[in-house]
Each structure stands twice: as C-alpha cells, then as structure tokens.
C-alpha cells in the first residue's frame, strides 16, 4: 500500500517562498504520477500541479504558473513543490496524491492521498 506524507508547510509573508515535500513509503513512487492539490476553508479541493512518473511531463494550474515548480527525486521517493512569490490567496491545506495511470488535474484520477500540510500566507 502506497502511503504519502507531506511536509514543509508553515506561515510565510506575502512574496516569500516555501518548499513542500511529499515522501512516499510502502511502494516506490517512481511508478506513479504525483499531483499537488490544495483546499481552502469552504472551497473544493483544487489542482495545483502534477508530474509524470519520469519527471519530464509537468502541468500547472494557471493561478500558479511561473511561481510554483514541481519536481521529483525518485531515488529519494520524494516529490517537491517549490512555491515562490506566495500570495494570501495561496493559503490552504496542500495535499499530494498519487495516480497509477494518467495524472492530470482531476481529483478522481488519484487513488492515494496524504494528510495535507497547512500553508498560510500573511499579507
């Protein structure tokens, strides 16, 4: 059973940076596409970024393009989300998720989820 654990969240001022990590255990994450999603209070979970199993294919939500970068180190079973130029609107719980098939932006494509890490951006 694949398990995912997020880390790296915290409180940061607007314009600052954070790097989130998603570490897999139980199975090698190299077999999975990984996505990052976020959910603010009272809203639906929304897609942020995704990366294919090899790391060559990435996709981003329009709201984070040019500010966030997703990457992976399969040797460390870890996927990263580098977040720069953070805005108060980026405040949310961030989740990583794994898909054994096609990744993309749909929540339903992902069968494995972490517990989430809180990111708070102050103005």
């Amino acid at each position: 059973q694949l398990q995912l654990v997020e880390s790296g969240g915290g409180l940061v001022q607007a314009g600052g940076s954070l790097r989130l990590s998603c570490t897999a255990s139980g199975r090698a994450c190299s077999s999975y596409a990984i996505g990052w999603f976020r959910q603010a209070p009272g809203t639906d979970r929304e897609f942020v970024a995704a990366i294919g199993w090899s790391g060559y294919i990435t996709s981003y939500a329009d709201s984070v393009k040019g500010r966030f970068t997703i990457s992976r180190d399969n040797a460390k079973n870890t996927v990263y989300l580098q977040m720069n130029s953070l805005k108060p609107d980026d405040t949310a719980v961030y989740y990583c998720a794994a898909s054994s098939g096609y990744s993309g932006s749909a929540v339903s494509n992902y069968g494995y989820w972490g517990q989430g890490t809180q990111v708070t951006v102050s103005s």
Side-chain angles (χ1 to χ4, degrees), residues 11-32:
L11 173 64
V12 64
Q13 289 187 331
S17 299
L18 283 174
R19 188 176 79 159
L20 305 183
S21 298
C22 172
T23 301
S25 63
R27 292 181 181 176
C29 75
S30 58
S31 299
Y32 298 86

Side-chain angles (χ1 to χ4, degrees), residues 10-97:
L11 173 64
V12 64
Q13 289 187 331
S17 299
L18 283 174
R19 188 176 79 159
L20 305 183
S21 298
C22 172
T23 301
S25 63
R27 292 181 181 176
C29 75
S30 58
S31 299
Y32 298 86
I34 301 293
W36 282 98
F37 292 78
R38 66 187 182 187
Q39 189 168 20
T43 69
D44 293 333
R45 195 166 295 189
E46 67 172 3
F47 171 75
V48 175
I51 188 166
W53 66 270
S54 67
Y56 290 113
I57 298 176
T58 59
S59 59
Y60 297 91
D62 287 344
S63 60
V64 306
K65 277 182 183 176
R67 300 189 299 122
F68 291 11
T69 303
I70 189 170
S71 62
R72 67 190 301 160
D73 185 340
N74 286 337
K76 294 183 178 180
N77 255 4
T78 301
V79 174
Y80 304 98
L81 185 68
Q82 178 67 45
M83 306 187 296
N84 298 328
S85 302
L86 283 161
K87 306 174 181 179
D89 284 350
D90 295 318
T91 295
V93 176
Y94 283 70
Y95 300 88
C96 67

